[in-house]
Amino acid sequence: MERAGKSIALGWWLPLLVLLALALHWRALPFSFFSDDFSVIHKLGARQDLSPGTFFRPLPDWTLWLQYRLHGPDAWAFRFVNVLLLALNGWFVALLAKKLMRPDAAVLAGALFVLYPFHLEPQLWIIGRSTAMATLFVLLALNAAVSDAGIWRKAIGVFFFGFLGTLCYE
């Protein structure tokens, strides 16, 4: 790791966070669907009903529909994508921390995000993807806000990613 004052490259950190997230959740990957997962996957996958239903979360529903088209009703594949989202969110936490704190603290922030024990719902419940995706877009909006871009590009990035986040969680 480089010393403070020099730039720390976090590109290599994403694969490590993926491995960390998979190591933490590998035992949960083969679990069956839980509770509401059954009805949502049946509605989106088997019936191909993309109507909003009780909750308005179109982006996660569309990803679940697409994944059902690709993998069928294999719970492990849905859970695997959710674990990858956890790692990706940890990486965006690290990028944000790099801008807001000492660069070497960014690695720790990303790892702690992935290791936090109460981040289980999106990894265990398939429909928890809405939480993970909403978090993803909030982190993208925050990263846009602290970027080196001009004020208008920042504002557009925050608005765009914030809007996408609203399409993920009711």
Side-chain angles (χ1 to χ4, degrees), residues 8-159:
I8 185 169
L10 291 178
W12 59 271
W13 189 237
L14 180 57
L16 292 177
L17 287 173
V18 168
L19 290 174
L20 179 61
L22 286 171
L24 287 171
H25 299 288
W26 71 272
R27 290 181 56 189
L29 292 178
F31 290 172
S32 175
F33 294 112
F34 298 145
S35 187
D36 295 344
D37 292 343
F38 288 104
S39 59
V40 170
I41 296 301
H42 180 74
K43 175 187 172 285
L44 295 171
R47 292 189 357 230
Q48 296 194 41
D49 179 2
L50 292 173
S51 65
T54 310
F55 298 110
F56 184 73
R57 49 183 178 220
L59 289 183
D61 284 354
W62 295 340
T63 66
L64 294 172
W65 172 83
L66 178 62
Q67 192 166 0
Y68 188 94
R69 302 271 47 91
L70 295 172
H71 301 283
D74 293 329
W76 74 267
F78 289 93
R79 206 164 274 115
F80 181 78
V81 169
N82 289 5
V83 171
L84 293 180
L85 279 170
L86 173 66
L88 186 61
N89 285 340
W91 189 62
F92 281 116
V93 165
L95 292 177
L96 182 63
K98 181 181 174 188
K99 283 287 195 177
L100 298 176
M101 303 172 0
R102 292 182 14 203
D104 54 347
V107 171
L108 181 61
L112 288 176
F113 184 88
V114 171
L115 292 169
Y116 187 66
F118 294 104
H119 285 165
L120 292 177
E121 183 180 340
Q123 285 68 249
L124 295 179
W125 291 58
I126 306 306
I127 61 170
R129 184 173 298 181
S130 59
T131 305
M133 288 182 67
T135 301
L136 172 67
F137 288 118
V138 167
L139 289 168
L140 285 168
L142 290 170
N143 274 283
V146 299
S147 73
D148 296 330
I151 190 72
W152 283 106
R153 285 184 61 133
K154 285 183 184 186
I156 291 169
V158 169
F159 173 80

